[in-house]
Amino acid sequence: MFLPDVHAEPDTEVLFQFIKENPLGLLITGINSTSVDFLQCTHAPFVLDLPNAGDNTTPRLRAHVAKQNPQVKAMIETLDTKPSETITLDQEVLVLFNGRHDHYVTPKFYTETKPDTGKVVPTWNYSAVQIYGKLSLYYDSKTPETGAFLGKQMHDLSEQCERSVMGFTGDGDRPQPWKVSDAPERYVELLQRNVVGIEIEIRKVEGKFKMSQEMRPGDREGVVKGVSRALTQVGVTCMGIHLYVPRQ
């Protein structure tokens, strides 16, 4: 990721909060394989585990994906390990999280600089966070370790999405969240046999908030108004369009 100082976000807590608010990540690997492409990617919602205060553990990401996924096949093919064991890849992996709002920025939005000098060009505003880390694969749901991992992962992910994404908290007139235990036990066991668990020890996290903060105040205001107007015209909700104030 290209990180000019004006766009880079150095605060790790802000970056982790971004992941919590945008949990759908793109898992990217580069693995030599005789059967699938070297570069593989998979979209998956992640759970972020942060250490408690005073705890020396490393932040981790958790997810689960289909066992028949070509990316999983590449991981298994290149390792001299029994599939029933937990597998740790030698290569680092990359996970990319994108913000929910991005938009093309026409020079017409720069209402201060365009009339003054005309020295403006189009761009695209967006936000993104990426992590590098070591991936462990939980392959066989019949083993106690993998079974426990998948059970916790499915429970935590459904809780996260039901409560944070859907707002199903059971408070007031809000519905109760769906729980994994609401599904038949044998059905859940069948699903677990057909997925693998993924745990990533985070080694590096970096993020970028490209929101025209390098532009003059009038231009930034013009971008906010212009994007909001453009989204309204096409019937898209304007939630999340805001002015990113540059750090002094």
Side-chain angles (χ1 to χ4, degrees), residues 6 211-215 217 220 243-248:
V6 69
M211 298 293 174
S212 298
Q213 59 265 50
E214 74 277 14
M215 303 302 293
R220 296 199 298 271
L243 177 65
Y244 189 98
V245 180
R247 292 183 295 274
Q248 301 297 321

Side-chain angles (χ1 to χ4, degrees), residues 127-193:
S127 54
V129 171
Q130 64 183 25
I131 70 98
Y132 294 90
K134 295 293 289 183
L135 182 148
S136 294
L137 193 70
Y138 292 80
Y139 189 83
D140 188 351
S141 64
K142 295 180 181 179
T143 64
E145 184 178 17
T146 297
F149 179 91
L150 289 175
K152 176 176 174 54
Q153 162 61 17
M154 290 182 170
H155 171 272
D156 291 350
L157 182 60
S158 64
E159 280 284 295
Q160 172 180 289
C161 295
E162 290 286 307
R163 293 179 179 274
S164 299
V165 178
M166 298 305 302
F168 296 159
T169 61
D171 299 325
D173 60 353
R174 296 192 174 189
Q176 291 287 340
W178 180 88
K179 304 182 296 296
V180 175
S181 58
D182 291 341
E185 183 176 351
R186 290 193 176 184
Y187 175 70
V188 174
E189 291 176 355
L190 177 63
L191 291 179
Q192 289 183 350
R193 287 201 296 269

Side-chain angles (χ1 to χ4, degrees), residues 15-16 24-25 31 72 76 87 111 118 129 169 187 195 201 211 216 218 242:
L15 301 181
F16 284 150
L24 183 65
I31 302 173
V72 174
I76 298 300
I87 299 164
T111 54
V129 171
T169 61
Y187 175 70
V195 300
E201 179 183 336
M211 298 293 174
R216 295 155 73 177
H242 62 280

Side-chain angles (χ1 to χ4, degrees), residues 24-212:
L24 183 65
L26 183 61
L27 172 64
I28 302 169
T29 57
I31 302 173
N32 288 317
S33 169
T34 60
S35 60
V36 299
D37 294 329
F38 173 75
L39 289 174
Q40 293 286 331
C41 64
T42 299
H43 285 88
F46 283 85
V47 174
L48 174 64
D49 294 323
L50 297 177
N52 297 320
D55 191 346
N56 293 325
T57 59
T58 304
R60 295 173 184 270
L61 289 172
R62 285 187 282 127
H64 60 276
V65 300
K67 189 173 287 185
Q68 294 302 312
N69 188 316
Q71 195 169 29
V72 174
K73 292 183 178 181
M75 295 178 192
I76 298 300
E77 179 185 337
T78 58
L79 297 170
D80 297 327
T81 308
K82 295 180 180 179
S84 62
E85 299 176 358
T86 301
I87 299 164
T88 300
L89 295 186
D90 293 331
Q91 307 92 333
E92 278 196 334
V93 301
L94 172 66
V95 185
L96 173 65
F97 298 90
N98 286 308
R100 299 178 187 177
H101 304 282
D102 64 274
H103 206 279
Y104 170 74
V105 178
T106 171
K108 294 176 180 292
F109 290 167
Y110 296 137
T111 54
E112 184 173 351
T113 301
K114 184 178 181 296
D116 185 17
T117 67
K119 296 180 179 179
V120 289
V121 294
T123 190
W124 203 290
N125 279 357
Y126 64 93
S127 54
V129 171
Q130 64 183 25
I131 70 98
Y132 294 90
K134 295 293 289 183
L135 182 148
S136 294
L137 193 70
Y138 292 80
Y139 189 83
D140 188 351
S141 64
K142 295 180 181 179
T143 64
E145 184 178 17
T146 297
F149 179 91
L150 289 175
K152 176 176 174 54
Q153 162 61 17
M154 290 182 170
H155 171 272
D156 291 350
L157 182 60
S158 64
E159 280 284 295
Q160 172 180 289
C161 295
E162 290 286 307
R163 293 179 179 274
S164 299
V165 178
M166 298 305 302
F168 296 159
T169 61
D171 299 325
D173 60 353
R174 296 192 174 189
Q176 291 287 340
W178 180 88
K179 304 182 296 296
V180 175
S181 58
D182 291 341
E185 183 176 351
R186 290 193 176 184
Y187 175 70
V188 174
E189 291 176 355
L190 177 63
L191 291 179
Q192 289 183 350
R193 287 201 296 269
N194 287 281
V195 300
V196 297
I198 288 174
E199 185 176 46
I200 300 172
E201 179 183 336
I202 297 176
R203 301 290 181 85
K204 182 171 73 170
V205 57
E206 54 189 17
K208 181 175 186 176
F209 293 83
K210 184 179 179 296
M211 298 293 174
S212 298

